[in-house]
């Protein structure tokens, strides 16, 4: 069987060893159709069409390529549990997939694993308007979740360039940092509860909504950043802080990297709690972006070119701060 290509750099690298898993058969496909068929017999949650599978078998950069012959689209935690239980009993390898926006091939099959997509597990269940805790499925797109809580005065404590397509469950599984990390900290501090399906199909309920909970082991922390290796996240309790009413942004140019560090220290000292983002990029990165985006720069962002640039954002309740 041709298992396709797998690249980890510009040079072709050896694939990891394929373990003793079974390959998909027609009987397996029929079993998955029985698991995922609804009351009307709709089987659109079981995909074997090569054209549809093509985009699921490669990453966003088209750098990593798998050869899966089957993708499954469960719509409930119970369906995820049934799939994993069946795969465990039949020795079928599984790769969980969210928005497939990662750049390191983590959501792409290496060989012919079953692709388990969480894209149809996409409901927002509840927002506590007092505490700001939102309960949602793992397949909810990050930008949609932020848009949902925004009218109520809250903000998702994570922001990424891929927010229009990445899933909140994938963000948590990879422990994504994002642009708001400096202000709101890591997801380990903002995720209050998780529902997870283990590789054997057991549903683990860690859906606490308490910010301070010292009753025993904090099992949910095992799954934040585990990238689906210990279980598949299906539901989340996420703390969303109050949305700032005012934002200010400044772009600075400096001569060397040590100056970037000095500006960072000074920004923390002078801006304190209103400092919400601090990013830097060098001149070569700026010129490469402009070249790749086919943008003709009419003038430098600042009065003259600089080796390094610093982007600072502040946010708070008052624009004059």
């Amino acid at each position: 069987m041709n298992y396709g290509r797998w690249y980890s750099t510009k040079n072709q690298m050896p694939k990891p060893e394929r373990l003793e898993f079974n390959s998909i058969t027609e009987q397996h496909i029929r079993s998955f159709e029985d698991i995922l068929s609804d009351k009307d017999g709709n089987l659109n949650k079981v995909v074997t069409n090569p054209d549809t599978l093509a985009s699921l078998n490669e990453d966003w950069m088209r750098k990593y390529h798998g050869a899966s012959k089957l993708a499954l689209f469960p719509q409930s935690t119970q369906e995820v549990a049934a799939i994993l239980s069946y795969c465990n009993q039949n020795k079928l390898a599984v790769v969980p997939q969210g928005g497939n926006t990662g750049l390191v091939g983590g959501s792409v099959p290496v060989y012919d694993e079953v692709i388990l997509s969480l894209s149809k597990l996409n409901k927002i269940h509840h927002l506590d308007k007092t505490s700001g805790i939102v309960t949602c499925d793992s397949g909810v797109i990050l930008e949609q979740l932020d848009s949902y809580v925004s009218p109520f005065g809250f903000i998702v404590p994570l922001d990424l360039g891929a927010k229009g397509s990445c899933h909140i469950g994938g963000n948590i599984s990879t422990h994504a940092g994002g642009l708001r990390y400096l202000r709101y900290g890591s997801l380990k501090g903002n995720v209050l509860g998780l529902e997870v399906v283990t590789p054997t199909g057991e549903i683990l309920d860690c859906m606490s909504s308490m910010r301070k909970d010292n009753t025993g082991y904090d099992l949910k922390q095992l799954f934040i950043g585990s990238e689906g290796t210990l279980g598949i996240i299906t539901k989340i309790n996420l703390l969303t802080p109050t949305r700032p009413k005012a934002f200010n942004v400044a772009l600075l140019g400096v001569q060397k990297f040590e100056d970037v560090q000095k500006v960072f220290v000074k920004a923390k000292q002078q801006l304190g709690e209103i400092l919400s983002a601090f990013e830097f990029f060098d001149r070569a990165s700026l010129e490469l972006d402009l070249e790749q985006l086919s943008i003709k720069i009419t003038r430098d962002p600042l009065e003259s070119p600089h080796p390094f640039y610093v982007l600072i954002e502040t946010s708070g309740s008052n624009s004059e701060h």
Side-chain angles (χ1 to χ4, degrees), residues 15 59 84 100 144 177 179 199 206 229-230 273 287 293 319:
K15 290 184 182 181
D59 72 314
L84 291 184
N100 199 20
Q144 294 177 354
L179 303 177
C206 299
T229 57
L230 301 179
E273 71 280 358
E287 291 177 351
L293 295 172
S319 62

Side-chain angles (χ1 to χ4, degrees), residues 51-303:
D51 293 335
T52 305
L53 288 169
S55 62
L56 303 176
N57 266 308
E58 65 180 12
D59 72 314
W60 185 78
M61 297 278 289
R62 298 183 179 178
K63 186 177 178 182
Y64 303 92
H65 305 267
S68 177
K69 300 294 191 296
L70 176 67
L72 304 176
F73 293 81
Q75 287 184 294
S76 68
T77 299
Q78 289 69 31
E79 289 182 344
V80 173
I83 290 169
L84 291 184
S85 176
Y86 181 87
C87 289
N88 180 64
Q89 294 169 14
N90 291 272
K91 295 194 70 174
L92 297 175
V94 177
V95 55
Q97 189 173 100
N100 199 20
T101 60
L103 304 179
V104 295
S107 60
V108 176
V110 180
Y111 292 99
D112 58 344
E113 300 94 313
V114 176
I115 297 173
L116 199 162
S117 172
L118 281 303
S119 60
K120 291 184 181 293
L121 206 65
N122 55 11
K123 294 180 180 178
I124 301 175
H125 297 279
H126 175 68
L127 172 65
D128 187 317
K129 299 177 183 63
T130 300
S131 65
I133 298 171
V134 62
T135 303
C136 66
D137 292 341
S138 61
V140 173
I141 293 174
L142 178 60
E143 188 173 42
Q144 294 177 354
L145 183 60
D146 192 57
S147 297
Y148 178 85
V149 302
S150 178
F152 302 100
F154 298 103
I155 186 172
V156 174
L158 175 70
D159 189 21
L160 301 169
K163 62 186 177 183
S165 51
C166 66
H167 295 178
I168 186 63
N171 300 147
I172 294 170
S173 294
T174 57
H175 198 198
L179 303 177
R180 295 173 183 162
Y181 187 96
L182 187 63
R183 178 69 175 269
Y184 301 114
S186 74
L187 286 173
K188 283 184 176 289
N190 290 292
V191 173
L192 302 183
L194 291 177
E195 179 185 75
V196 181
V197 180
T198 69
T200 59
E202 179 184 2
I203 300 174
L204 184 61
D205 187 348
C206 299
M207 286 292 288
S208 172
S209 59
M210 296 180 63
R211 294 190 64 180
K212 183 180 185 297
D213 186 354
N214 57 2
T215 56
Y217 298 111
D218 193 1
L219 293 179
K220 71 176 184 294
Q221 296 292 342
L222 291 173
F223 300 96
I224 301 174
S226 67
E227 300 190 34
T229 57
L230 301 179
I232 296 179
I233 296 172
T234 53
K235 191 177 293 183
I236 298 135
N237 274 337
L238 181 69
L239 178 65
T240 60
T242 301
R243 180 175 288 271
K245 296 180 180 179
F247 293 87
N248 290 297
V249 178
L251 180 66
L252 311 177
V254 296
Q255 293 301 312
K256 53 184 183 294
F257 179 72
E258 289 75 15
D259 292 337
V260 174
Q261 295 173 307
K262 292 177 181 178
V263 172
F264 180 50
V265 172
K266 184 65 69 174
K268 290 193 295 181
Q269 293 173 344
Q270 298 295 323
L271 301 175
E273 71 280 358
I274 66 171
L275 179 62
S276 55
F278 186 99
E279 303 285 329
F280 88 93
F281 53 94
D282 60 19
R283 182 70 192 182
S285 300
L286 173 61
E287 291 177 351
L288 180 61
D289 283 343
L290 296 174
E291 177 185 340
Q292 293 298 317
L293 295 172
S294 300
I295 297 175
K296 286 189 176 182
I297 187 167
T298 55
R299 66 178 184 85
D300 199 86
L302 302 177
E303 291 183 358

